[in-house]
Amino acid sequence: MKNSNYKIVVLTALVLLTQSCSVVGYFSSKKEVTGDYVMELKPVDKKGHYDMSINVIQGIASFENGWFTAQTSAEKYLLINYLNEKGESEFNFRLDVNSHGQDLSLEQISENTLYLYTTVGHFDKKESSGIIRMVVELPEKVNLKRDMSQVTVKIDKTVHLNLINATPTLSEDKQHFAIRSNNSIVVDTKENVLANNLSKAMRFDIDEDQLKDENGKVMWFQGIAMKDGKVYCLTGNSTIGSVKKIYTYTTEGVLLDKKRIEKDELAKQLSEKIEPEGLTFVNDDLYYTIMIKDKTGGNRKFLFKV
């Protein structure tokens, strides 16, 4: 009887420990997680008068030792953050523009000037959308470091592409755009896209299998990246038990590779949802973010490497 009671106490303690463990600890220790956990991301909106945690990161792009992120802010603004190597916000700024912030691409123009590209216009509606380009002015380096709190961001160019749900990515060589439009991908040179001339663009449909989960439920398009003539597409909804997918295509639409992101055990124990968002390359490594709604009802944001 004494041994039985001891076992009950031990098992209870283990259950409580499992329930109280942090998401970070779970990510870093569980075999069910496909891909490598990097860190938790903590964007902020200092001008916001609402719970920032309800929003999710829609786009992410690396710069130096940190990350620029984009997301909607109360569905009224485009919110840009710069997060350091610990995932902490060193800069945040609202742009008064109708943008979902998905996806985000970065182009360095000079030592202290960048372009950021993302979607602009109505999203998830049957209305046209396009690309917005922001110019980012960086402070000078002092002792090899920048004071990123002194960054400035402003809208530089808006291109109305007449595409539904336009989700753009700039290729790693900065020469082409791949743009999701509804359930298709449009690929053209940067020059043509910024001139709003898609008359010679290549177009192909996303594979039907990528747009549905194993139960036939619709999968949302969540991110796009382009490197070495290949287009990487991320799909997945927030439903627990629904597999998330990264498929790789040629620019002509030939399906080259299929990857699955499976975190069911994690989601069942720690969250009410698990949603992928955004794709970006750092050298040869592909990164994506995962949003998890924790017990407080807010979305926590995490970075993974494929």
Side-chain angles (χ1 to χ4, degrees), residues 35 39 67-68 73 86 91 133 142 150-151 155 185 195 203 207-208 230-231 261:
M39 62 180 164
W67 306 85
F68 279 98
S73 181
K86 297 179 181 179
F91 168 84
R133 184 172 75 187
V142 178
Q150 300 303 309
V151 168
I155 298 170
I185 304 296
R203 301 170 187 259
D207 189 270
E208 289 186 5
K230 299 175 184 177
V231 180
I261 301 170

Side-chain angles (χ1 to χ4, degrees), residues 109-269:
I109 304 304
S110 68
E111 176 67 20
N112 299 315
T113 304
L114 311 172
Y115 284 148
L116 293 175
Y117 299 89
T118 190
T119 185
V120 68
H122 292 283
F123 208 77
D124 295 331
K125 295 181 180 179
K126 299 300 182 182
E127 299 183 43
S128 64
S129 53
I131 293 177
I132 188 173
R133 184 172 75 187
M134 297 157 277
V135 61
V136 180
E137 298 293 348
L138 305 166
E140 297 278 351
K141 287 184 179 179
V142 178
N143 297 325
L144 302 179
K145 293 197 68 176
R146 303 182 195 269
D147 180 1
M148 295 300 285
S149 66
Q150 300 303 309
V151 168
T152 64
V153 179
K154 64 180 181 180
I155 298 170
D156 175 66
K157 187 179 182 67
T158 301
V159 185
H160 300 286
L161 294 173
N162 197 30
L163 298 175
I164 296 173
N165 305 137
T167 306
T169 187
L170 184 63
S171 62
E172 286 299 289
D173 64 6
K174 314 305 178 187
Q175 299 302 308
H176 293 80
F177 275 102
I179 308 166
R180 171 268 184 130
S181 176
N182 205 357
N183 291 330
S184 298
I185 304 296
V186 178
V187 180
D188 209 337
T189 65
K190 179 176 67 175
E191 180 182 9
N192 285 345
V193 170
L194 295 180
N196 198 3
N197 178 10
L198 300 180
S199 60
K200 297 181 180 180
M202 292 178 285
R203 301 170 187 259
F204 64 87
D205 291 335
I206 299 168
D207 189 270
E208 289 186 5
D209 180 64
Q210 187 172 14
L211 298 171
K212 295 180 180 180
D213 67 12
E214 54 276 21
N215 298 315
K217 188 173 181 179
V218 173
M219 301 267 275
W220 306 329
F221 192 93
Q222 302 283 23
I224 185 169
M226 185 178 182
K227 181 178 173 64
D228 299 332
K230 299 175 184 177
V231 180
Y232 299 77
C233 296
L234 171 66
T235 56
N237 52 42
S238 61
T239 305
I240 293 176
S242 176
V243 173
K244 326 308 179 187
K245 301 177 181 180
I246 299 176
Y247 281 18
T248 307
Y249 304 85
T250 67
T251 54
E252 292 79 25
V254 177
L255 181 58
L256 299 175
D257 186 44
K258 300 180 180 182
K259 284 187 173 62
R260 294 159 64 92
I261 301 170
E262 300 185 54
K263 295 183 174 63
D264 288 357
E265 294 305 315
L266 167 70
K268 289 174 184 176
Q269 295 195 37

